[in-house]
Every structure is written in structure tokens, then in C-alpha cells.
């Protein structure tokens, strides 16, 4: 069954990223006012035309940090990732990072599904393919490092952790559904990420308010097994 889930997740990836499959090569080019990332295949600037970097070296740093899907550019207010294939701002339009270093860091930490950006209140993972927030929009992490850590932890996994307003809850990458009861999760981000790492098949663990329960990822229903310690729950996965 775990191979079926992996196959479904791979199929979802291929469908979701169908328009990202072509190779993209970025260069820095002058737009007449500054230096701006350009898609060398289409000869189109990435971001708003005329908005870029004063120094070529800064532009080059953004290009070098770019992922297959994202690259940073100045949006007139801050440094924001852009989805290269669609030339659209990633996250909320106009919301980005105070420094190019922070923006580059978020892009470099991105996975094939998600990346972190500023939502106006905190740092939150967003899905790259449809630009929607993981979990509930507005709920994320106080630090970029914490957000980047949860994204890196989700690479090649089925789940990702995010703050739900009360605790850290796992969400399914395939449909952004919370695991278990909505609003119930873990006191620490590390505990949530340990669950993500340990989940390799169709079952996972989460807190239900009284016990740690084993949940079926396909139905989101708990089994009969109940544990007082998270490690005991993880041991049966």
C-alpha cells in the first residue's frame, strides 16, 4: 500500500507541475534601469518589468539561488519570490522579504511542492503549483528558519507541519487536509517533524486531545490503537 500512496503522490506531482516540466535557464539582463532576472528561453523578464536590482552581483545571487520553480526579485517594496513559468508573484502579491538573502534562503530551502514566504504576519509555507497557503492563511512561523526547516523536512514526504493557531499539526501535501482532528497537534515543531519523517506508509500519528492515535491517511480515521507516548505510537508505523 505504501507504494500505491507513493505512486499517487508522484502522479499528483506530475499533474500539478505539468507546465513546469520544460527546462528553464535564467540570466541577469539590464532592463534599462537596473538588472533583472530573465528567462533566457522566452526572453521575458521575471517579475514586473523595470523592477530589479541596482547591482548585477545581487541579481546574479538571486539567479544562482533560484530553484526549478522560483526566483527572487524586487517588487517595488521588498524581495519576493516569483513563479518562473507563470511569471507570477509567489504568495500574496507585494509581500516578500526585507533582504535578498532571506528571499534566496526561502527559495533554496523549497521542496518540489512548497516554499516559505511572508504572509503579512509571519512566515508560512505556500504550495508552488497553486499559490495557496499550507493550513490556514495567516498561520505560520515566527522565524524564517523555522519555516524553512518544516519545508526541508517535508521533502520526498507525504506530510508537512504547520502552526494551526494552537499547536503544530501535520497536513497532507496531496490535498492540504489536516491529519486527525482539526486544531489538534503537537506542542513542539520537532515532535511534529518527527512524525512527518516516520510516516512512510498509509498510517501516521497525531494527538487527539487525550491520546496519541494512529490515523489512516486515506480516510483520516483513527485505528483502535491508543498511546500515552508519541514514541510508542511511532513504533507501530
Amino acid at each position: 500500500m505504501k507504494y500505491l500512496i507513493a505512486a499517487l503522490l508522484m502522479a499528483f506531482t506530475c499533474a500539478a507541475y505539468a507546465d513546469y516540466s520544460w527546462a528553464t535557464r535564467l540570466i541577469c539582463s539590464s532592463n534599462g534601469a537596473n538588472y533583472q532576472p530573465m528567462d533566457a528561453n522566452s526572453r521575458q523578464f521575471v517579475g514586473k518589468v523595470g523592477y530589479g536590482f541596482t547591482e548585477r552581483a545581487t541579481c546574479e545571487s538571486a539567479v544562482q539561488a533560484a530553484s526549478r520553480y522560483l526566483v527572487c526579485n524586487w517588487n517595488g517594496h521588498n524581495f519576493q519570490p516569483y513563479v518562473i513559468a507563470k511569471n507570477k508573484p509567489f504568495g500574496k502579491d507585494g509581500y516578500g522579504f526585507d533582504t535578498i538573502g532571506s528571499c534566496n534562503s526561502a527559495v533554496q530551502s523549497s521542496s518540489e511542492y512548497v516554499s516559505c514566504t511572508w504572509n503579512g504576519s509571519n512566515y508560512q509555507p505556500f504550495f508552488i503549483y497553486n499559490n495557496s497557503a499550507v493550513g490556514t492563511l495567516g498561520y505560520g512561523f515566527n522565524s524564517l528558519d523555522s519555516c524553512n526547516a518544516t519545508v526541508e523536512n517535508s521533502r520526498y514526504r507525504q506530510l508537512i507541519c504547520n502552526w494551526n493557531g494552537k499547536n503544530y499539526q501535520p497536513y497532507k501535501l496531496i490535498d492540504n487536509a489536516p491529519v486527525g482532528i482539526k486544531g489538534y497537534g503537537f506542542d513542539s515543531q520537532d515532535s511534529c517533524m518527527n512524525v512527518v519523517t516516520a510516516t512512510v506508509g498509509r498510517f501516521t500519528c497525531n494527538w487527539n486531545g487525550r491520546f496519541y492515535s494512529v490515523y489512516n491517511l486515506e480516510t483520516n480515521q483513527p485505528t483502535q490503537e491508543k498511546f500515552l507516548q508519541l514514541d510508542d505510537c511511532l513504533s507501530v508505523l
Side-chain angles (χ1 to χ4, degrees), residues 13-50:
T13 305
C14 293
Y17 294 100
D19 59 343
Y20 298 92
S21 60
W22 46 275
T24 298
R25 185 169 67 90
L26 295 173
I27 59 173
C28 283
S29 184
S30 174
N31 59 28
N34 43 58
Y35 297 98
Q36 188 168 354
M38 172 183 278
D39 177 355
N41 293 315
S42 65
R43 304 302 296 177
Q44 296 295 314
F45 286 112
V46 179
K48 294 186 288 187
V49 176

Side-chain angles (χ1 to χ4, degrees), residues 17-181:
Y17 294 100
D19 59 343
Y20 298 92
S21 60
W22 46 275
T24 298
R25 185 169 67 90
L26 295 173
I27 59 173
C28 283
S29 184
S30 174
N31 59 28
N34 43 58
Y35 297 98
Q36 188 168 354
M38 172 183 278
D39 177 355
N41 293 315
S42 65
R43 304 302 296 177
Q44 296 295 314
F45 286 112
V46 179
K48 294 186 288 187
V49 176
Y51 288 80
F53 304 94
T54 303
E55 301 294 332
R56 176 181 285 274
T58 310
C59 180
E60 294 288 355
S61 75
V63 167
Q64 290 170 8
S67 71
R68 181 183 176 190
Y69 310 113
L70 302 172
V71 67
C72 293
N73 194 29
W74 177 252
N75 62 20
H77 304 283
N78 43 60
F79 299 97
Q80 183 164 15
Y82 284 81
V83 181
I84 300 166
K86 296 183 177 180
N87 196 22
K88 298 291 186 181
F90 178 66
K92 297 168 67 176
D93 191 8
Y95 288 78
F97 301 89
D98 291 336
T99 69
I100 185 60
S102 294
C103 189
N104 287 343
S105 171
V107 169
Q108 288 178 311
S109 295
S110 63
S111 73
E112 68 275 27
Y113 295 105
V114 292
S115 186
C116 291
T117 192
W118 179 253
N119 62 23
S121 301
N122 44 61
Y123 299 97
Q124 185 168 7
F126 278 69
F127 289 96
I128 297 170
Y129 79 98
N130 67 359
N131 206 31
S132 65
V134 172
T136 302
L137 180 62
Y139 289 91
F141 300 87
N142 291 328
S143 76
L144 177 58
D145 286 345
S146 295
C147 188
N148 284 343
T150 203
V151 168
E152 291 173 356
N153 184 66
S154 74
R155 287 176 179 167
Y156 313 111
R157 307 290 181 184
Q158 302 177 66
L159 306 173
I160 185 172
C161 293
N162 194 36
W163 178 254
N164 62 22
K166 297 179 182 179
N167 43 59
Y168 299 95
Q169 185 162 10
Y171 291 82
K172 292 194 293 181
L173 284 169
I174 197 168
D175 59 7
N176 197 28
V179 172
I181 305 169

Side-chain angles (χ1 to χ4, degrees), residues 175-218:
D175 59 7
N176 197 28
V179 172
I181 305 169
K182 185 177 181 179
Y184 286 81
F186 303 92
D187 291 335
S188 76
Q189 181 180 351
D190 285 344
S191 294
C192 187
M193 293 197 302
N194 286 341
V195 169
V196 170
T197 303
T199 303
V200 294
R202 59 186 289 207
F203 295 100
T204 190
C205 293
N206 197 17
W207 178 252
N208 67 8
R210 297 180 61 191
F211 307 100
Y212 293 102
S213 292
V214 176
Y215 283 90
N216 186 316
L217 286 174
E218 295 176 354

